[in-house]
Amino acid sequence: DLVAACANAGFQGELGGGGLPTPELTEAKIEELASKQEPGVGININMLYLNARMWAFQFPLVCEMRRRGVPIESITIGAGVPSPDKAEEIVSGLMAVGIRYMALKPGTLTMMQQVLELARLNRDFTFMLQWTGGRGGGHHSGEDFHLPLLAMYPEIRKHPNVILIVGSGFGDADGSWPYLSGTWSLEFGRPKMPVDAILMGSRCMVAAEAATSRSVKEMIVKCSGVDDKDWEKTYQEGAGGIISLKSEL
């Protein structure tokens, strides 16, 4: 319901494939999502690249469903950046069935460079670079949010086939607009550096359409959060109601 609500409102929502361990369940959930979305609204599937077993059936299934007419327009690869050879194979498969975009979630500056290399090698395909850093919970990274972005921004903008998406604790318009307008970088002594879109995670977990339990929603809302300078404290102790743990991934 949440993904469909986001998409029908004109935004892009990701259907998480990590919790869909069988082909039958994956296909059923994609079909269910398609039935809840308005005609002409595209679907995005998030798949775990590091889970070889699930990737082996989910990627071909997604391509096959798109070939059948299911409106899948993009995929997101979570947990890992493919090698150039593997990426070429993936891009070729997507383009063959009319899937137009692929999002990647680099966790370090080096991985951001790897994404840009894939964009250079596949100039006819559009990549979405989703950078989150660690400030907003660090789902894909434990790095500082701003410094890698400041370092890589000029290089990112040299690639017209890269859409820059950032997420790091955004929850309202006041916190998001400086990144969309580009004014966030002025305090670092740089020119305006606008991004193309922002990524929301925890904020969406408390939405009415989210399947999150009421008790968890209330817990999230009660968290006070922390200033930018204090986010790393979540690794050593609770800070603003938040504790960061190392993922088993």
Short mmCIF file of all heavy atoms in Angstrom, two decimals, residues 18 20-23 48-60:
data_model
loop_
_atom_site.label_atom_id
_atom_site.label_comp_id
_atom_site.label_asym_id
_atom_site.label_seq_id
_atom_site.Cartn_x
_atom_site.Cartn_y
_atom_site.Cartn_z
N GLY A 18 14.12 -7.91 -0.95
CA GLY A 18 14.89 -8.68 0.02
C GLY A 18 14.05 -9.58 0.91
O GLY A 18 14.54 -10.59 1.42
N LEU A 20 11.35 -11.18 -0.18
CA LEU A 20 10.55 -12.03 -1.07
C LEU A 20 11.42 -13.21 -1.52
O LEU A 20 12.02 -13.18 -2.59
CB LEU A 20 10.06 -11.22 -2.28
CG LEU A 20 9.30 -9.94 -1.95
CD1 LEU A 20 8.98 -9.15 -3.21
CD2 LEU A 20 8.01 -10.25 -1.18
N PRO A 21 11.50 -14.26 -0.73
CA PRO A 21 12.50 -15.31 -0.93
C PRO A 21 12.20 -16.36 -1.99
O PRO A 21 13.03 -17.23 -2.25
CB PRO A 21 12.58 -15.97 0.45
CG PRO A 21 11.20 -15.80 1.02
CD PRO A 21 10.73 -14.46 0.51
N THR A 22 11.03 -16.29 -2.62
CA THR A 22 10.70 -17.29 -3.64
C THR A 22 10.18 -16.60 -4.90
O THR A 22 9.65 -15.48 -4.85
CB THR A 22 9.61 -18.26 -3.16
OG1 THR A 22 8.37 -17.54 -2.99
CG2 THR A 22 10.01 -18.91 -1.83
N PRO A 23 10.32 -17.24 -6.06
CA PRO A 23 9.79 -16.66 -7.30
C PRO A 23 8.29 -16.41 -7.22
O PRO A 23 7.80 -15.39 -7.71
CB PRO A 23 10.14 -17.71 -8.36
CG PRO A 23 11.30 -18.45 -7.79
CD PRO A 23 11.07 -18.50 -6.31
N LEU A 48 18.55 -7.37 -3.76
CA LEU A 48 19.84 -7.49 -3.09
C LEU A 48 20.83 -8.21 -4.01
O LEU A 48 20.74 -9.42 -4.22
CB LEU A 48 19.70 -8.26 -1.77
CG LEU A 48 18.89 -7.58 -0.67
CD1 LEU A 48 18.80 -8.49 0.55
CD2 LEU A 48 19.53 -6.24 -0.28
N TYR A 49 21.79 -7.46 -4.50
CA TYR A 49 22.78 -8.03 -5.40
C TYR A 49 23.67 -9.05 -4.70
O TYR A 49 24.12 -10.02 -5.30
CB TYR A 49 23.62 -6.90 -6.00
CG TYR A 49 24.67 -7.36 -6.97
CD1 TYR A 49 24.31 -7.94 -8.19
CD2 TYR A 49 26.03 -7.22 -6.68
CE1 TYR A 49 25.26 -8.37 -9.08
CE2 TYR A 49 26.99 -7.65 -7.58
CZ TYR A 49 26.61 -8.22 -8.78
OH TYR A 49 27.55 -8.64 -9.67
N LEU A 50 23.92 -8.82 -3.40
CA LEU A 50 24.84 -9.73 -2.69
C LEU A 50 24.23 -11.08 -2.38
O LEU A 50 24.93 -12.03 -2.05
CB LEU A 50 25.38 -9.08 -1.41
CG LEU A 50 24.43 -8.67 -0.29
CD1 LEU A 50 23.82 -9.83 0.46
CD2 LEU A 50 25.17 -7.77 0.69
N ASN A 51 22.89 -11.20 -2.48
CA ASN A 51 22.24 -12.48 -2.27
C ASN A 51 22.14 -13.19 -3.62
O ASN A 51 21.20 -12.99 -4.39
CB ASN A 51 20.86 -12.29 -1.65
CG ASN A 51 20.22 -13.60 -1.20
OD1 ASN A 51 20.30 -14.61 -1.90
ND2 ASN A 51 19.61 -13.59 -0.03
N ALA A 52 23.15 -14.01 -3.91
CA ALA A 52 23.25 -14.62 -5.24
C ALA A 52 22.05 -15.50 -5.56
O ALA A 52 21.59 -15.55 -6.71
CB ALA A 52 24.53 -15.44 -5.33
N ARG A 53 21.51 -16.20 -4.56
CA ARG A 53 20.38 -17.09 -4.82
C ARG A 53 19.15 -16.30 -5.25
O ARG A 53 18.48 -16.65 -6.24
CB ARG A 53 20.07 -17.91 -3.56
CG ARG A 53 18.95 -18.94 -3.77
CD ARG A 53 18.48 -19.55 -2.45
NE ARG A 53 17.81 -18.57 -1.61
CZ ARG A 53 16.52 -18.23 -1.76
NH1 ARG A 53 15.79 -18.77 -2.73
NH2 ARG A 53 15.97 -17.35 -0.95
N MET A 54 18.85 -15.23 -4.50
CA MET A 54 17.67 -14.44 -4.82
C MET A 54 17.85 -13.66 -6.12
O MET A 54 16.92 -13.55 -6.92
CB MET A 54 17.32 -13.51 -3.66
CG MET A 54 16.86 -14.25 -2.41
SD MET A 54 16.53 -13.16 -1.02
CE MET A 54 15.15 -12.21 -1.64
N TRP A 55 19.04 -13.12 -6.34
CA TRP A 55 19.29 -12.38 -7.57
C TRP A 55 19.12 -13.29 -8.79
O TRP A 55 18.60 -12.87 -9.82
CB TRP A 55 20.70 -11.79 -7.54
CG TRP A 55 21.07 -11.07 -8.81
CD1 TRP A 55 21.75 -11.58 -9.88
CD2 TRP A 55 20.74 -9.73 -9.16
NE1 TRP A 55 21.89 -10.63 -10.87
CE2 TRP A 55 21.27 -9.48 -10.46
CE3 TRP A 55 20.07 -8.69 -8.50
CZ2 TRP A 55 21.14 -8.26 -11.09
CZ3 TRP A 55 19.94 -7.47 -9.15
CH2 TRP A 55 20.46 -7.27 -10.42
N ALA A 56 19.53 -14.54 -8.63
CA ALA A 56 19.49 -15.48 -9.75
C ALA A 56 18.08 -15.72 -10.26
O ALA A 56 17.89 -16.02 -11.44
CB ALA A 56 20.14 -16.80 -9.35
N PHE A 57 17.07 -15.59 -9.39
CA PHE A 57 15.70 -15.78 -9.89
C PHE A 57 14.95 -14.45 -10.01
O PHE A 57 14.07 -14.31 -10.87
CB PHE A 57 14.92 -16.78 -9.03
CG PHE A 57 14.43 -16.28 -7.70
CD1 PHE A 57 13.32 -15.45 -7.59
CD2 PHE A 57 15.07 -16.65 -6.52
CE1 PHE A 57 12.86 -15.00 -6.36
CE2 PHE A 57 14.62 -16.21 -5.29
CZ PHE A 57 13.52 -15.37 -5.21
N GLN A 58 15.28 -13.46 -9.17
CA GLN A 58 14.52 -12.21 -9.21
C GLN A 58 14.82 -11.38 -10.46
O GLN A 58 13.89 -10.85 -11.08
CB GLN A 58 14.79 -11.38 -7.95
CG GLN A 58 14.08 -11.91 -6.72
CD GLN A 58 14.21 -11.00 -5.52
OE1 GLN A 58 15.10 -10.14 -5.46
NE2 GLN A 58 13.34 -11.17 -4.54
N PHE A 59 16.08 -11.27 -10.83
CA PHE A 59 16.39 -10.43 -12.00
C PHE A 59 15.76 -11.00 -13.28
O PHE A 59 15.08 -10.25 -14.01
CB PHE A 59 17.90 -10.27 -12.16
CG PHE A 59 18.28 -9.42 -13.34
CD1 PHE A 59 18.05 -8.06 -13.33
CD2 PHE A 59 18.84 -10.00 -14.49
CE1 PHE A 59 18.38 -7.26 -14.42
CE2 PHE A 59 19.17 -9.21 -15.58
CZ PHE A 59 18.94 -7.85 -15.56
N PRO A 60 15.92 -12.28 -13.59
CA PRO A 60 15.25 -12.81 -14.79
C PRO A 60 13.73 -12.70 -14.71
O PRO A 60 13.07 -12.44 -15.72
CB PRO A 60 15.69 -14.28 -14.83
CG PRO A 60 16.95 -14.33 -14.03
CD PRO A 60 16.77 -13.31 -12.95
#
